[in-house]
Amino acid sequence: MAAASNFVASCGCQMRIGASIRVRDSCSSSVDSLNPNRRIRVLARREGKGQFDQLCINNSKRKLSQNMRCLCTDMALVNQRVLQEHAISKPTGLLGYELVQGNLVQWNSFMDKSVPDPPTCVLLHGILGSRKNWGSFAKRLAEEFPLWQFLLVDLRCHGDSASIKKSGPHTVSSAALDVLKLVGQLRLTPRVLVGHSFGGKVALSMVEQAAKPLARPVRVWVLDATPGKVRAGGDGEDHPGELISFLRNMPYQVPSKQEVVDSLVHQGFSLEVARWVVTNLRRNAQQNFSWIFDLNGIADMYESYEKTNLWEIVENVPRGVHINFLKAERSLHRWALEDLQRIHAAEELASDEGAGVQMHVLEDAGHWVHADNPDGLFRILSSTFRIETTLRGIRGG
C-alpha cells in the first residue's frame, strides 16, 4: 500500500500549559484537567464533517477562540502560537482520530517527505468503545516517552467514525484496512500496534494484510484476546453480543443517560458496563441523547470478531514482527488451555524465524485492562517503547 499522499494531518502546534484547565469542544473531543508540567500536543479529527476546527487557548486570559478555520487539525492546544499551513483538500471517509505527541516530537505532515516521521504507536479500542478509551493512557505514555507519538483511532461504526458511511461488510479485515489507509494518508509508519479485545484482532489483521505502511520491526500487542475462537461472557461477566442486541432494541433517542443505565442493570448487565456504555450517548438538538455509534454495523463487526481466525499469522509470523499477547489474570473464560499451549508453541517457532511471539499476564485485572490495572499495563507496555527507542538509536524516553 502506498504510504500516501499530500493529506494534511496536523499543524505544527506546540502545547504549553501554564495552568490547570479543562476543555470540551462541540465535537466531543476533550482534554481532561492537565498537569501544569505537561507539555504534549493533542491533534484530533472532527467527526466526518470534512472540515476541522482549531481551538486556541490563551493561557493568560484562558479564553477559547473558535473563529479560525483550517483543514489541518480540529483541536490544537497552544500557547498563544499557532503555526498554520495552506489548506489542502483531504480524502473523504477518513476515520476519526487523535494524534498525541510527546514534547520532543518535531514533525507534522507538511514536512518534506524525506524527513522521517517520529516513532509512532497506534492504539485501537474494542467493540462499543472509542478512541477516548485510550486518552489518558496515551497522554501518560507521551509524557514518559517524549520522542513518541500515539495515534488513537475511532474504528468504523464507532465514535466520530460512525457518521462516515463505510461500505460493508463490517468485519475485522475491513476495520484493519481502514486503519492501514489512515496511517498511509497521514504518512505515518507505525512501530507499535496496541489493540484491546476486538482491536487486538484488528492489529493482527493489519499485519496480515500489509507490508507497507507497517515498519520492520513492528511490535504488536493483543490485549486480552486470542487469534481465534472468542469465548466471551461467563463467570457473571457481560456478554458483548447480548449487550449489542439489547441496545439495538432500545430507542435511538433517550431522555437521559440514567434511564439507559437503569434499563441495562435491570436486564442483568453490570453497573460498571452500563455506565461505560452510556459514555457513547451525546446530547442532540432536541435536548435528548442519541447514540454516537452505528449499532447495526457494530453487530456485524462483533459477528466477524467471533468468526475471524488469525492463527495463521501467529504461527507463521513474518520476519521482523513481534506479537505480544496479554492475558488478564481474572479474564479466565477467554483463555482456553489449548489457546495458551498454541501460543507457547508459536513462541518457539517464531524465534527460529527471526520473528517473535510472547505471552504476558496482567495481574489484578479483568477484561478492561486499561481501567482495572493501568499501572501494571503501563509497566508491561513501557518495555516495548524503551526497546524500540534503543533500536532506533534515539535519545529520550
Side-chain angles (χ1 to χ4, degrees), residues 150-230:
F150 301 86
L151 181 68
L152 289 60
V153 181
D154 281 334
L155 298 175
R156 61 164 60 204
C157 303
H158 292 75
D160 287 342
S161 297
S163 60
I164 304 167
K165 298 304 179 184
K166 289 285 187 181
S167 59
H170 299 298
T171 62
V172 170
S173 177
S174 61
L177 185 57
D178 290 342
V179 182
L180 286 171
K181 289 179 178 178
L182 174 65
V183 298
Q185 289 164 336
L186 298 182
R187 296 199 299 108
L188 299 176
T189 307
R191 295 284 169 178
V192 179
L193 308 176
V194 181
H196 174 241
S197 194
F198 178 89
K201 275 195 174 179
V202 171
L204 288 176
S205 183
M206 289 173 66
V207 174
E208 181 186 52
Q209 291 187 59
K212 288 186 177 183
L214 295 184
R216 294 293 187 270
V218 61
R219 296 178 182 270
V220 181
W221 284 86
V222 181
L223 307 184
D224 211 41
T226 66
K229 183 178 180 179
V230 174

XYZ file of all heavy atoms in Angstrom, residues 150-230:
602
model
N 1.368 9.043 19.458
C 0.402 7.975 19.662
C -0.881 8.310 18.902
O -1.512 9.343 19.162
C 0.126 7.793 21.154
C 1.376 7.462 21.931
C 2.206 8.471 22.403
C 1.747 6.150 22.147
C 3.385 8.172 23.082
C 2.914 5.834 22.826
C 3.731 6.851 23.298
N -1.235 7.442 17.970
C -2.414 7.642 17.131
C -3.577 6.848 17.716
O -3.547 5.615 17.749
C -2.130 7.185 15.702
C -3.269 7.365 14.701
C -3.530 8.856 14.434
C -2.958 6.646 13.388
N -4.601 7.561 18.175
C -5.805 6.950 18.734
C -6.887 7.002 17.669
O -7.178 8.071 17.139
C -6.280 7.710 19.980
C -5.466 7.603 21.273
C -4.046 8.100 21.116
C -6.151 8.383 22.390
N -7.477 5.867 17.370
C -8.386 5.758 16.234
C -9.786 5.358 16.684
O -9.949 4.492 17.540
C -7.861 4.710 15.228
C -8.787 4.605 14.025
C -6.441 5.054 14.785
N -10.813 6.000 16.104
C -12.191 5.506 16.200
C -12.409 4.535 15.045
O -12.418 4.943 13.882
C -13.198 6.665 16.081
C -13.347 7.453 17.369
O -13.094 6.890 18.448
O -13.714 8.643 17.291
N -12.565 3.261 15.350
C -12.812 2.285 14.296
C -14.158 2.540 13.619
O -15.024 3.221 14.183
C -12.784 0.874 14.880
C -11.452 0.437 15.497
C -11.593 -0.927 16.161
C -10.341 0.414 14.446
N -14.350 2.021 12.425
C -15.605 2.209 11.706
C -16.800 1.860 12.606
O -16.740 0.956 13.434
C -15.640 1.375 10.440
C -15.544 -0.130 10.648
C -15.967 -0.890 9.408
N -15.155 -0.584 8.241
C -15.571 -0.738 6.995
N -16.793 -1.234 6.755
N -14.789 -0.443 5.980
N -17.863 2.613 12.450
C -19.122 2.442 13.193
C -19.027 2.881 14.645
O -19.996 2.765 15.405
C -19.637 0.996 13.152
S -19.886 0.348 11.486
N -17.888 3.390 15.075
C -17.676 3.792 16.461
C -17.280 5.275 16.541
O -16.618 5.795 15.645
C -16.569 2.967 17.113
C -16.903 1.530 17.323
N -16.932 0.612 16.296
C -17.219 0.836 18.460
C -17.239 -0.581 16.777
N -17.419 -0.473 18.083
N -17.672 5.931 17.636
C -17.219 7.286 17.912
C -17.434 8.231 16.752
O -18.476 8.226 16.092
N -16.420 9.051 16.472
C -16.534 10.037 15.401
C -16.500 9.414 14.009
O -16.751 10.088 13.026
C -15.412 11.076 15.525
C -15.639 12.024 16.686
O -16.777 12.104 17.167
O -14.662 12.689 17.113
N -16.154 8.131 13.927
C -16.168 7.452 12.625
C -17.547 6.922 12.261
O -17.764 6.502 11.122
C -15.164 6.285 12.621
O -13.850 6.761 12.793
N -18.477 6.926 13.221
C -19.803 6.364 12.961
C -20.579 7.167 11.927
O -21.451 6.627 11.233
C -20.604 6.272 14.258
N -20.286 8.463 11.817
C -21.006 9.313 10.871
C -20.468 9.171 9.450
O -21.039 9.713 8.509
C -20.909 10.776 11.301
O -19.553 11.196 11.334
N -19.363 8.438 9.295
C -18.782 8.216 7.971
C -19.396 6.957 7.384
O -19.341 5.895 7.997
C -17.257 8.054 8.065
C -16.631 9.271 8.752
C -16.649 7.853 6.685
C -15.197 9.047 9.162
N -19.997 7.080 6.243
C -20.662 5.943 5.626
C -19.622 5.011 5.008
O -19.014 5.319 3.993
C -21.652 6.410 4.558
C -22.764 7.286 5.120
C -23.518 6.572 6.262
C -24.614 7.451 6.827
N -25.279 6.804 7.989
N -19.414 3.888 5.662
C -18.479 2.891 5.179
C -19.261 1.749 4.547
O -20.227 1.248 5.131
C -17.639 2.348 6.335
C -16.611 3.328 6.896
C -15.432 3.455 5.950
C -14.322 4.299 6.558
N -13.187 4.444 5.625
N -18.818 1.311 3.383
C -19.491 0.191 2.737
C -19.131 -1.101 3.447
O -18.044 -1.247 4.006
C -19.083 0.116 1.271
O -17.679 -0.034 1.149
N -20.077 -2.026 3.451
C -19.843 -3.309 4.079
C -18.945 -4.185 3.221
O -18.564 -3.799 2.108
N -18.586 -5.346 3.709
C -19.012 -5.855 5.018
C -18.237 -5.210 6.162
O -17.101 -4.777 5.972
C -18.692 -7.349 4.914
C -17.514 -7.406 3.982
C -17.743 -6.328 2.973
N -18.879 -5.126 7.325
C -18.226 -4.577 8.508
C -17.546 -5.727 9.244
O -18.179 -6.465 10.001
C -19.251 -3.888 9.413
C -19.956 -2.738 8.738
N -19.294 -1.621 8.292
C -21.268 -2.545 8.439
C -20.158 -0.780 7.744
N -21.360 -1.313 7.817
N -16.261 -5.872 9.011
C -15.522 -7.018 9.515
C -14.220 -6.589 10.183
O -13.814 -5.424 10.095
C -15.176 -7.979 8.362
O -14.323 -7.284 7.428
C -16.436 -8.463 7.642
N -13.565 -7.550 10.828
C -12.229 -7.305 11.368
C -11.292 -6.866 10.249
O -10.527 -5.903 10.393
C -11.689 -8.581 12.055
C -10.208 -8.424 12.398
C -12.492 -8.900 13.309
N -11.373 -7.542 9.126
C -10.495 -7.244 8.000
C -10.723 -5.842 7.447
O -9.765 -5.100 7.182
C -10.709 -8.281 6.893
O -9.917 -7.987 5.760
N -11.977 -5.448 7.266
C -12.262 -4.114 6.719
C -11.870 -3.025 7.714
O -11.396 -1.960 7.312
C -13.734 -3.984 6.334
O -14.585 -4.160 7.449
N -12.054 -3.284 9.017
C -11.631 -2.311 10.029
C -10.116 -2.135 9.997
O -9.598 -1.019 10.136
C -12.091 -2.758 11.414
N -9.385 -3.239 9.801
C -7.926 -3.162 9.715
C -7.490 -2.388 8.475
O -6.556 -1.572 8.526
C -7.342 -4.569 9.702
N -8.170 -2.622 7.357
C -7.828 -1.912 6.132
C -8.082 -0.414 6.286
O -7.314 0.413 5.779
C -8.639 -2.473 4.961
C -8.309 -1.912 3.573
C -6.834 -2.115 3.228
C -9.198 -2.565 2.510
N -9.161 -0.044 6.997
C -9.421 1.372 7.275
C -8.231 2.026 7.968
O -7.822 3.143 7.631
C -10.640 1.524 8.197
C -11.958 1.173 7.548
O -12.018 1.124 6.303
O -12.931 0.942 8.293
N -7.685 1.340 8.986
C -6.574 1.907 9.761
C -5.309 1.969 8.912
O -4.551 2.941 8.979
C -6.335 1.091 11.051
C -5.208 1.725 11.872
C -7.600 1.026 11.902
N -5.075 0.942 8.094
C -3.925 0.981 7.190
C -4.013 2.167 6.240
O -3.016 2.848 5.966
C -3.846 -0.321 6.397
C -3.370 -1.558 7.163
C -3.556 -2.809 6.325
C -1.914 -1.415 7.591
N -5.214 2.441 5.714
C -5.391 3.596 4.831
C -5.155 4.900 5.585
O -4.552 5.838 5.048
C -6.799 3.583 4.237
C -7.028 2.493 3.201
C -8.462 2.518 2.672
C -8.685 1.460 1.603
N -10.098 1.451 1.124
N -5.624 4.958 6.832
C -5.442 6.169 7.632
C -3.961 6.469 7.850
O -3.515 7.597 7.630
C -6.157 6.019 8.974
C -5.938 7.158 9.975
C -6.537 8.459 9.462
C -6.521 6.811 11.348
N -3.183 5.476 8.290
C -1.767 5.745 8.551
C -1.034 6.065 7.260
O -0.077 6.851 7.251
C -1.093 4.578 9.307
C -1.726 4.373 10.665
C -1.119 3.284 8.506
N -1.497 5.505 6.135
C -0.906 5.858 4.868
C -1.184 7.295 4.490
O -0.298 8.024 4.041
N -2.432 7.731 4.686
C -2.813 9.103 4.361
C -2.140 10.114 5.286
O -1.849 11.245 4.877
C -4.332 9.242 4.422
C -5.026 8.532 3.272
C -6.514 8.331 3.515
O -6.982 8.302 4.649
N -7.264 8.145 2.447
N -1.863 9.703 6.511
C -1.175 10.594 7.451
C 0.340 10.524 7.297
O 1.063 11.238 7.988
C -1.550 10.244 8.891
C -3.025 10.382 9.279
C -3.232 10.040 10.753
C -3.527 11.790 9.000
N 0.802 9.657 6.383
C 2.232 9.458 6.161
C 2.941 9.011 7.438
O 4.017 9.482 7.787
C 2.901 10.717 5.590
C 2.398 11.109 4.233
C 3.357 12.040 3.495
N 3.582 13.305 4.203
C 4.721 13.599 4.812
N 5.714 12.752 4.848
N 4.866 14.764 5.396
N 2.326 8.090 8.150
C 2.912 7.522 9.357
C 3.346 6.087 9.098
O 2.724 5.367 8.313
C 1.904 7.529 10.503
C 1.371 8.900 10.940
C 0.301 8.731 12.008
C 2.505 9.767 11.458
N 4.400 5.678 9.781
C 4.868 4.292 9.711
C 4.909 3.744 11.129
O 5.886 3.937 11.841
C 6.265 4.215 9.073
O 6.243 4.896 7.819
C 6.677 2.767 8.866
N 3.843 3.092 11.570
C 3.777 2.650 12.962
C 4.868 1.640 13.314
O 5.160 0.720 12.544
C 2.394 1.995 13.057
C 1.609 2.570 11.928
C 2.613 2.794 10.830
N 5.455 1.829 14.486
C 6.414 0.883 15.042
C 5.739 -0.063 16.032
O 6.241 -1.157 16.286
C 7.537 1.633 15.755
C 8.385 2.483 14.832
C 9.338 1.626 14.042
N 9.977 2.392 12.966
C 10.882 1.877 12.148
N 11.230 0.609 12.253
N 11.406 2.613 11.200
N 4.628 0.381 16.603
C 3.925 -0.415 17.607
C 2.428 -0.336 17.333
O 1.896 0.746 17.050
C 4.218 0.090 19.043
C 3.455 -0.737 20.074
C 5.715 0.049 19.342
N 1.740 -1.480 17.416
C 0.285 -1.553 17.323
C -0.230 -2.151 18.620
O 0.230 -3.220 19.034
C -0.152 -2.434 16.153
C 0.421 -2.148 14.764
C -0.065 -3.202 13.775
C 0.021 -0.750 14.300
N -1.177 -1.483 19.256
C -1.773 -1.983 20.502
C -3.277 -2.043 20.303
O -3.912 -1.026 19.988
C -1.440 -1.072 21.700
C -2.061 -1.635 22.981
C 0.076 -0.927 21.873
N -3.858 -3.220 20.477
C -5.297 -3.371 20.309
C -5.908 -4.125 21.460
O -5.398 -5.172 21.874
N -7.002 -3.598 21.988
C -7.718 -4.258 23.083
C -8.896 -5.044 22.521
O -9.694 -4.505 21.759
C -8.218 -3.224 24.096
C -9.070 -3.805 25.174
N -10.380 -3.444 25.385
C -8.793 -4.763 26.109
C -10.877 -4.137 26.391
N -9.941 -4.937 26.851
N -8.995 -6.328 22.858
C -10.140 -7.155 22.514
C -10.328 -7.176 20.986
O -9.444 -7.624 20.264
C -11.378 -6.634 23.252
O -12.433 -7.560 23.228
N -11.452 -6.693 20.477
C -11.666 -6.618 19.033
C -10.507 -5.894 18.353
O -10.046 -6.297 17.276
C -12.983 -5.896 18.742
C -13.288 -5.710 17.281
C -13.982 -6.674 16.569
C -12.893 -4.555 16.611
C -14.250 -6.506 15.213
C -13.165 -4.375 15.268
C -13.853 -5.358 14.562
N -10.020 -4.822 18.972
C -8.893 -4.075 18.412
C -7.629 -4.909 18.294
O -6.783 -4.645 17.442
N -7.491 -5.930 19.165
C -6.340 -6.812 19.074
C -6.358 -7.628 17.788
O -5.330 -7.798 17.125
N -7.536 -8.125 17.426
C -7.647 -8.851 16.149
C -7.453 -7.908 14.967
O -6.909 -8.298 13.934
C -9.001 -9.550 16.051
C -9.039 -10.926 16.706
C -10.262 -11.717 16.280
C -10.199 -13.141 16.818
N -11.397 -13.941 16.444
N -7.889 -6.662 15.102
C -7.664 -5.678 14.037
C -6.163 -5.479 13.824
O -5.683 -5.430 12.687
C -8.352 -4.341 14.376
C -7.942 -3.252 13.375
C -9.867 -4.497 14.365
N -5.407 -5.380 14.926
C -3.957 -5.211 14.819
C -3.318 -6.400 14.103
O -2.448 -6.233 13.248
C -3.351 -5.017 16.206
N -3.745 -7.621 14.462
C -3.220 -8.809 13.793
C -3.568 -8.810 12.306
O -2.744 -9.172 11.455
C -3.776 -10.071 14.446
C -3.259 -10.431 15.837
C -3.988 -11.659 16.367
C -1.748 -10.681 15.807
N -4.783 -8.384 11.986
C -5.208 -8.331 10.590
C -4.409 -7.291 9.807
O -4.143 -7.479 8.611
C -6.707 -8.024 10.510
O -7.167 -8.034 9.177
N -4.016 -6.200 10.456
C -3.175 -5.208 9.786
C -1.848 -5.830 9.359
O -1.369 -5.600 8.255
C -2.924 -4.013 10.713
C -4.139 -3.127 10.941
S -3.852 -1.847 12.195
C -2.604 -0.821 11.375
N -1.262 -6.626 10.239
C 0.000 -7.292 9.908
C -0.214 -8.286 8.774
O 0.610 -8.398 7.855
C 0.567 -8.005 11.151
C 1.803 -8.826 10.784
C 0.911 -7.002 12.241
N -1.330 -8.987 8.814
C -1.629 -9.991 7.797
C -1.824 -9.362 6.418
O -1.401 -9.931 5.400
C -2.895 -10.754 8.190
C -3.287 -11.845 7.210
C -4.618 -12.484 7.561
O -5.618 -11.738 7.741
O -4.670 -13.714 7.644
N -2.414 -8.158 6.368
C -2.801 -7.571 5.086
C -1.717 -6.758 4.392
O -1.772 -6.598 3.172
C -4.030 -6.665 5.277
C -5.300 -7.403 5.612
C -6.494 -6.465 5.606
O -6.797 -5.847 4.601
N -7.176 -6.366 6.733
N -0.767 -6.232 5.139
C 0.107 -5.236 4.520
C 1.537 -5.331 5.008
O 1.799 -5.589 6.175
C -0.431 -3.840 4.783
N 2.456 -5.108 4.082
C 3.845 -4.893 4.455
C 4.039 -3.410 4.729
O 4.464 -3.005 5.782
C 4.767 -5.368 3.353
N 3.705 -2.573 3.764
C 3.715 -1.129 3.975
C 2.279 -0.686 4.153
O 1.370 -1.261 3.551
C 4.340 -0.411 2.774
C 5.842 -0.603 2.662
C 6.400 0.257 1.544
C 7.904 0.140 1.467
N 8.468 1.025 0.420
N 2.010 0.335 5.003
C 2.960 1.211 5.665
C 3.427 0.713 7.033
O 3.815 1.515 7.880
C 2.162 2.510 5.824
C 0.764 2.030 6.023
C 0.628 0.802 5.177
N 3.386 -0.577 7.311
C 3.923 -1.084 8.558
C 5.445 -1.188 8.474
O 6.002 -1.576 7.449
C 3.317 -2.447 8.897
C 1.819 -2.450 9.184
C 1.370 -3.846 9.594
C 1.465 -1.452 10.279
N 6.082 -0.856 9.576
C 7.533 -0.866 9.625
C 8.038 -2.285 9.881
O 7.284 -3.187 10.214
C 8.008 0.066 10.735
N 9.318 -2.469 9.724
C 10.003 -3.655 10.214
C 11.215 -3.161 10.981
O 12.043 -2.469 10.404
C 10.432 -4.580 9.069
C 9.287 -5.207 8.322
C 8.511 -6.209 9.206
N 7.517 -6.929 8.426
C 6.268 -6.531 8.243
N 5.875 -5.392 8.787
N 5.414 -7.244 7.543
N 11.369 -3.452 12.257
C 10.459 -4.310 13.021
C 9.188 -3.577 13.452
O 9.172 -2.350 13.561
C 11.294 -4.662 14.257
C 12.188 -3.483 14.448
C 12.505 -2.983 13.062
N 8.150 -4.345 13.673
C 6.920 -3.802 14.239
C 6.503 -4.709 15.396
O 6.604 -5.934 15.298
C 5.793 -3.698 13.181
C 5.442 -5.054 12.604
C 4.563 -3.031 13.769
N 6.084 -4.105 16.484
C 5.670 -4.851 17.670
C 4.160 -4.702 17.851
O 3.636 -3.594 17.829
C 6.432 -4.370 18.908
C 7.921 -4.648 18.794
C 8.733 -4.153 19.979
N 10.149 -4.437 19.748
C 10.756 -5.565 20.113
N 10.053 -6.500 20.754
N 12.029 -5.764 19.861
N 3.510 -5.826 18.016
C 2.054 -5.875 18.102
C 1.659 -6.372 19.489
O 2.204 -7.362 19.984
C 1.472 -6.825 17.032
C -0.052 -6.844 17.105
C 1.950 -6.418 15.648
N 0.714 -5.670 20.111
C 0.189 -6.070 21.415
C -1.299 -6.382 21.268
O -2.082 -5.520 20.864
C 0.390 -4.967 22.450
C 1.817 -4.883 22.936
C 2.846 -4.205 22.366
C 2.349 -5.525 24.090
N 3.994 -4.375 23.093
C 3.723 -5.177 24.165
C 1.806 -6.349 25.082
C 4.565 -5.643 25.180
C 2.643 -6.804 26.092
C 3.996 -6.455 26.140
N -1.660 -7.611 21.615
C -3.046 -8.070 21.568
C -3.506 -8.236 23.024
O -3.056 -9.155 23.711
C -3.171 -9.396 20.794
C -4.628 -9.839 20.728
C -2.575 -9.258 19.398
N -4.366 -7.323 23.466
C -4.733 -7.268 24.881
C -6.018 -8.040 25.150
O -7.095 -7.676 24.690
C -4.893 -5.812 25.331
C -3.697 -4.887 25.042
C -3.946 -3.503 25.616
C -2.395 -5.470 25.580
N -5.888 -9.122 25.890
C -6.991 -9.971 26.335
C -7.880 -10.426 25.189
O -9.106 -10.311 25.235
C -7.814 -9.292 27.429
C -8.414 -10.334 28.394
O -7.704 -11.290 28.731
O -9.578 -10.198 28.786
N -7.258 -10.946 24.165
C -7.972 -11.551 23.031
C -7.084 -12.637 22.453
O -5.850 -12.543 22.516
C -8.299 -10.504 21.967
N -7.697 -13.658 21.905
C -6.958 -14.725 21.241
C -7.118 -14.578 19.734
O -8.014 -13.869 19.267
C -7.469 -16.111 21.687
O -8.818 -16.278 21.230
C -7.436 -16.250 23.208
N -6.279 -15.237 18.952
C -6.376 -15.078 17.487
C -7.585 -15.777 16.878
O -7.951 -15.477 15.742
C -5.079 -15.741 16.977
C -4.207 -15.889 18.168
C -5.104 -16.024 19.346
N -8.201 -16.709 17.606
C -9.269 -17.498 17.012
C -10.590 -17.376 17.742
O -11.158 -16.284 17.839
N -11.071 -18.482 18.253
C -12.403 -18.553 18.853
C -12.564 -17.567 19.995
O -11.715 -17.436 20.864
C -12.661 -19.973 19.363
C -14.040 -20.167 19.950
C -14.263 -21.608 20.387
C -15.661 -21.804 20.979
N -15.883 -23.216 21.392
N -13.689 -16.847 19.980
C -13.995 -15.872 21.033
C -14.834 -16.555 22.104
O -15.896 -17.110 21.830
C -14.753 -14.656 20.464
C -15.197 -13.720 21.586
C -13.869 -13.908 19.471
